[in-house]
Amino acid sequence: MRESEIETYLVKRVREHGGDCRKVEWIGRHGAPDRFVMLPGGCLWVELKAPGQKPKPHQVREHARLRNMGQRVEVIDSIEGVEALLV
């Protein structure tokens, strides 16, 4: 399965749960999570990966910066990961 297929599934399922997903692209900053997910009750950042893939070092650093500011960041590499997020 490709990362893009997991991303498409995430967007579909978040919308089915009454939320929305925004694609993130930060000019001049590398490593931003792929999606900002807004669900009833809260928001979080999601980094999507192909199955078994891990974030690159610059992504890990950016995720840590966000977490240090109290943001929730999740790395998802499967359909099951999407479903676990929405439980």
Side-chain angles (χ1 to χ4, degrees), residues 3-87:
E3 178 180 321
S4 61
E5 294 171 295
I6 298 168
E7 186 170 23
T8 298
Y9 186 78
L10 171 72
V11 172
K12 174 181 173 262
R13 294 293 288 139
V14 166
R15 289 183 178 154
E16 289 173 356
H17 277 79
D20 198 8
C21 281
R22 300 292 164 93
K23 185 81 171 165
V24 178
E25 187 174 331
W26 293 352
I27 297 169
R29 187 130 194 133
H30 297 289
D34 298 303
R35 291 282 181 163
F36 185 64
V37 176
M38 298 165 281
L39 288 164
C43 299
L44 67 142
W45 301 92
V46 175
E47 177 69 41
L48 295 152
K49 292 289 176 193
Q53 296 296 306
K54 302 293 181 201
K56 296 176 182 165
H58 69 283
Q59 292 173 315
V60 171
R61 284 191 301 274
E62 191 63 27
H63 298 171
R65 285 186 189 109
L66 289 167
R67 288 182 180 119
N68 287 337
M69 290 185 276
Q71 300 293 305
R72 180 178 170 195
V73 180
E74 298 291 336
V75 178
I76 296 176
D77 70 348
S78 66
I79 296 298
E80 295 80 14
V82 172
E83 291 301 323
L85 175 74
L86 297 171
V87 174

